[in-house]
Amino acid sequence: MKHSTIPARGFAALAAAGLIGLAAFPALSQVQEGGPMETDFAPYALGRAAENIASDLETPWRTDTITITVNGLIENYGQMEYKVSMEEGDVLLYSWTASEDIYYEMHGHPLNDDGTYGDAMLYRDEEGSASHGFVRAPLQGIHGWYFVNDSFDTPIEIELTLAGTYELEPGVIEMSR
């Protein structure tokens, strides 16, 4: 597994696409009543957007690129998980590509009061060689991917690029039966 932090300019296209998806389209349906308005600097024909459209983040935005290998069935039953921790409402933009099709699930586990993690909530599950999107954490806890390589001994390389308000968990969580 390799991990590197990438500069913001190298991640601009993915971040812009995610921000458009998170902010621009909902903004059109969340315009406050009142019509056009003037400020000291410019007129705004659509008026002022609702208060929840633009906000400050308490946690600094970060970007990371992680390369992981999911080995075949002869090692660790071809399974691997990669996780990040997030607070409820945190945003994670992601893009990953794999060297071959692979089954994956994206899910989260809530953080219990005693510090353990609860039952999983499934966000998506399918097979493919790439996935790009975002998740707004519906709960405080760990969130991430469970990958299954069903080949016997051919490893699959995955490059995962992340941006948002999250913390990397200590590496890859390996599975056992």
Side-chain angles (χ1 to χ4, degrees), residues 156-173:
I156 295 177
E157 299 289 322
I158 300 171
E159 183 175 280
L160 173 63
T161 302
L162 307 171
T165 49
Y166 60 89
E167 290 296 323
L168 294 173
E169 284 301 314
V172 174
I173 300 170

Side-chain angles (χ1 to χ4, degrees), residues 10 13 24 43 49 63 81 90 95 105 111 122 136 142 146-147 158-159 166:
T63 61
E81 285 194 284
D90 280 353
S95 179
E105 297 175 357
L111 179 62
L122 182 64
R136 182 179 299 274
I142 55 174
Y146 165 70
F147 294 102
I158 300 171
E159 183 175 280
Y166 60 89

Side-chain angles (χ1 to χ4, degrees), residues 89-170:
D90 280 353
V91 175
L92 175 69
L93 296 170
Y94 66 89
S95 179
W96 63 261
T97 56
S99 57
E100 301 285 334
D101 279 356
I102 191 165
Y103 172 80
Y104 72 95
E105 297 175 357
M106 186 176 192
H107 63 277
H109 296 268
L111 179 62
N112 296 324
D113 292 338
D114 66 0
T116 62
Y117 292 101
D119 293 333
M121 174 187 288
L122 182 64
Y123 305 150
R124 64 187 320 178
D125 64 322
E126 52 197 49
E127 187 169 319
S129 61
S131 181
H132 320 284
F134 72 91
V135 63
R136 182 179 299 274
L139 48 88
Q140 177 187 1
I142 55 174
H143 308 264
W145 297 266
Y146 165 70
F147 294 102
V148 179
N149 175 357
D150 64 3
S151 74
F152 183 70
D153 62 355
T154 304
I156 295 177
E157 299 289 322
I158 300 171
E159 183 175 280
L160 173 63
T161 302
L162 307 171
T165 49
Y166 60 89
E167 290 296 323
L168 294 173
E169 284 301 314

